[in-house]
Amino acid sequence: AQKITQTQPGMFVQEKEAVTLDCTYDTSDPSYGLFWYKQPSSGEMIFLIYQGSYDQQNATEGRYSLNFQKARKSANLVISASQLGDSAMYFCAMREGGGADGLTFGKGTHLIIQP
Amino acid sequence: DARVTQTPRHKVTEMGQEVTMRCQPILGHNTVFWYRQTMMQGLELLAYFRNRAPLDDSGMPKDRFSAEMPDATLATLKIQPSEPRDSAVYFCASGLGENTEAFFGQGTRLTVV
């Protein structure tokens, strides 16, 4: 079974609109971390936001927020007021075991912001 | 400006040749990861180290891949002999372990012909 599922292979969004990128995860470990990375066409992997399984509040970083619904095992990324520069691949990832393991990545969502 | 440095950025080699990719993690980071990215498989974890000790290399084909950290400032990934199916982008990442983010290098784009 896939540990990280991103169901949206691609999305088109108008500039300035808010975007929600879906991510569901599968783990039986009570301690885990969820991460979102952005990969623009240049290829580098850019860390965006982190949510720990024990965190009580949803993580926020500037225009990025993580909608963490633990019971549903979902960790959706919300980008407010999208910009043309947000066009990129977005990857959701999980680390289990209290940090002892490497990150497991989803297949990604290709987001295109249209003017 | 602390960053993970990978060399080379691009490598084209013939099938059967040895390939060595190098990574300089961010100073002070104690965890180093090697990932491979392909269109078909996405991002796959090949191996990772903590405090220079290999913790998991189950993602690597053992017969041809090897990963080492000769010192805290250098991690290497070797493929010998290389095959066309090894063509991919190889990323190194470093971090402080536990539930903190991993910082990625710019990757080595490997093409085996």
Side-chain angles (χ1 to χ4, degrees), chain A residues 36-61:
Chain A
W36 277 92
Y37 283 82
K38 172 184 179 181
Q39 187 177 39
S41 57
S42 54
E44 72 257 46
M45 294 286 288
I46 303 167
F47 165 74
L48 295 178
I49 197 166
Y50 161 78
Q51 179 86 43
S53 59
Y54 294 119
D55 292 346
Q56 296 296 312
Q57 293 191 321
N58 287 344
T60 61
E61 287 285 348

Side-chain angles (χ1 to χ4, degrees), chain B residues 27-48:
Chain B
L27 190 64
H29 282 187
N30 64 351
T31 308
V32 174
F33 306 88
W34 283 104
Y35 284 89
R36 175 171 64 184
Q37 186 177 32
T38 61
M39 288 293 292
M40 293 299 294
Q41 300 297 327
L43 280 151
E44 303 171 278
L45 178 65
L46 297 176
Y48 68 100

Side-chain angles (χ1 to χ4, degrees), chain B:
Chain B
D1 184 26
R3 60 179 66 188
V4 176
T5 303
Q6 288 187 247
T7 56
R9 292 290 313 281
H10 302 272
K11 176 74 175 178
V12 179
T13 191
E14 291 186 346
M15 183 173 63
Q17 296 298 305
E18 177 179 299
V19 175
T20 299
M21 290 169 271
R22 292 178 174 81
C23 168
Q24 181 177 353
I26 293 173
L27 190 64
H29 282 187
N30 64 351
T31 308
V32 174
F33 306 88
W34 283 104
Y35 284 89
R36 175 171 64 184
Q37 186 177 32
T38 61
M39 288 293 292
M40 293 299 294
Q41 300 297 327
L43 280 151
E44 303 171 278
L45 178 65
L46 297 176
Y48 68 100
F49 297 79
R50 179 155 298 152
N51 298 321
R52 293 178 55 203
L55 286 191
D56 186 357
D57 61 1
S58 60
M60 283 198 320
K62 297 290 190 304
D63 55 338
R64 299 183 299 108
F65 285 60
S66 62
E68 295 179 348
M69 274 201 79
D71 62 60
T73 64
L74 178 64
T76 62
L77 180 66
K78 288 186 181 180
I79 308 174
Q80 167 63 23
S82 57
E83 297 180 1
R85 59 181 167 150
D86 301 329
S87 297
V89 179
Y90 291 81
F91 285 103
C92 174
S94 72
L96 290 168
E98 299 301 328
N99 278 319
T100 60
E101 65 271 29
F103 293 87
F104 281 72
Q106 292 188 292
T108 294
R109 182 174 294 276
L110 174 66
T111 304
V112 183
V113 298

